[in-house]
């Protein structure tokens, strides 16, 4: 069925440490995987995405990896800063005659100075 | 900001009230979306409009009624809601309809149904 599992639900790190958030999807036909960051009082904003023909994508301190065989994808944030504190959502595309994104339940990341 | 605005930002209503949520996008996009965000749950897609035509009603109760008068505006009309409808309602837009299109979200309307 349509399902994206996201772990952990909360993550606390010290400034400068790395943070990793993992997601698992169920639809083997999924081929687009965006990550969104939601700050307090704001809507989610796209921070990085990856398509199924790519195994890894990097943008400065943020990277996403995809393992299509295992149906896993992960967000990696290096050298975390307090402004990285937010809720992060993963999503996976599905197409059951209708195209949409299925979202994970979110990870609350807290970066302590 | 993202170019998507929503009003009001907060709304408290009784179960017998009728109210409307408004979304406006200033990005020249062709697709607009309503999502429901509840605590501890994934974002739930409610409605999609592409070029002002409703593409999908994702099994949403009839007490939620969307309206898209033009490609820049999207409304969600609410009537006889239930307390479990309390949530953050997010509007989003994308250049065109399709899951590979980047969606730009508004700040949301926090709704409380008493």
């Amino acid at each position: 069925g349509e399902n994206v599992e996201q772990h952990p639900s909360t993550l606390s790190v010290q400034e400068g440490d790395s943070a990793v958030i993992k997601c698992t999807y169920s639809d083997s036909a999924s081929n687009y995987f965006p990550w969104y960051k939601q700050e307090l009082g704001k809507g989610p904003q796209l921070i990085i995405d990856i398509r199924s023909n790519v195994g890894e994508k990097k943008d400065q301190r943020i990277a996403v990896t995809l393992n299509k065989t295992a149906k896993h994808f992960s967000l990696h944030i290096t050298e975390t800063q307090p402004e990285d504190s937010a809720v992060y959502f993963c999503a996976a595309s599905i197409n059951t005659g209708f195209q949409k994104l299925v979202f994970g339940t979110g990870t609350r990341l807290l970066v302590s100075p | 900001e993202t170019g998507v605005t929503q009003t009001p930002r907060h709304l408290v209503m009784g179960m017998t009230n009728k109210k409307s949520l408004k979304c406006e996008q200033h990005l020249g996009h062709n697709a607009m979306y309503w999502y429901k965000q509840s605590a501890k749950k994934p974002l739930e897609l409610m409605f999609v409009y592409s070029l002002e035509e409703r593409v999908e009603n994702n099994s949403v109760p009839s007490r939620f009624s969307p309206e898209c008068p033009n490609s820049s505006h999207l409304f969600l009309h609410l009537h006889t809601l239930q307390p479990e409808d309390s949530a953050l309602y997010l509007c989003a837009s994308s250049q065109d309809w399709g899951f590979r299109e980047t969606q730009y979200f508004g700040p949301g309307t926090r709704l409380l149904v008493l």
Side-chain angles (χ1 to χ4, degrees):
Chain A
E2 308 167 6
N3 191 33
V4 174
E5 293 189 5
Q6 182 171 348
H7 299 281
S9 56
T10 58
L11 179 58
S12 294
V13 299
Q14 291 292 123
E15 183 177 0
D17 287 350
S18 295
V20 180
I21 302 170
K22 298 182 179 181
C23 288
T24 304
Y25 61 98
S26 56
D27 186 354
S28 57
S30 295
N31 56 14
Y32 174 62
F33 307 91
W35 285 88
Y36 284 84
K37 175 183 181 183
Q38 186 173 23
E39 298 178 54
L40 198 62
K42 297 184 178 180
Q45 292 193 32
L46 180 74
I47 55 171
I48 195 167
D49 58 13
I50 191 168
R51 302 180 194 277
S52 59
N53 57 346
V54 175
E56 182 174 1
K57 184 176 178 181
K58 200 171 182 180
D59 182 4
Q60 300 182 343
R61 296 187 297 107
I62 293 173
V64 57
T65 58
L66 172 65
N67 182 331
K68 283 211 73 180
T69 303
K71 291 190 264 185
H72 289 168
F73 58 113
S74 300
L75 178 71
H76 304 253
I77 306 175
T78 58
E79 301 172 27
T80 54
Q81 301 167 3
E83 51 265 38
D84 294 329
S85 297
V87 180
Y88 292 81
F89 293 93
C90 63
S93 64
I94 65 163
N95 189 353
T96 55
F98 175 72
Q99 303 177 40
K100 68 177 185 180
L101 293 175
V102 178
F103 287 81
T105 49
T107 296
R108 183 172 300 278
L109 174 65
L110 177 62
V111 181
S112 303
Chain B
E1 296 304 325
T2 62
V4 181
T5 58
Q6 290 186 243
T7 54
R9 294 292 309 275
H10 301 272
L11 179 62
V12 180
M13 60 187 289
M15 289 191 284
T16 59
N17 291 157
K18 290 185 180 181
K19 296 286 184 183
S20 295
L21 310 185
K22 179 183 176 183
C23 175
E24 183 174 0
Q25 57 97 357
H26 311 273
L27 301 169
H29 288 170
N30 295 317
M32 296 188 77
Y33 311 75
W34 279 117
Y35 284 88
K36 177 183 179 182
Q37 186 175 33
S38 305
K40 313 279 186 185
K41 288 187 176 181
L43 269 71
E44 299 173 50
L45 180 64
M46 300 176 72
F47 300 103
V48 181
Y49 276 81
S50 176
L51 297 171
E52 303 153 44
E53 295 287 327
R54 189 193 299 184
V55 176
E56 173 75 0
N57 171 356
N58 206 30
S59 302
V60 179
S62 59
R63 57 187 184 268
F64 295 92
S65 175
E67 179 190 1
C68 187
N70 55 61
S71 59
S72 299
H73 293 87
L74 186 65
F75 294 88
L76 187 63
H77 302 300
L78 317 171
H79 62 98
T80 59
L81 294 193
Q82 304 297 310
E84 58 265 29
D85 296 322
S86 298
L88 182 69
Y89 288 85
L90 291 163
C91 173
S93 71
S94 61
Q95 184 61 58
D96 294 297
W97 170 50
F99 51 73
R100 292 186 179 216
E101 297 283 337
T102 299
Q103 294 182 25
Y104 296 82
F105 286 84
T109 295
R110 175 75 59 188
L111 173 66
L112 177 62
V113 181
L114 299 176

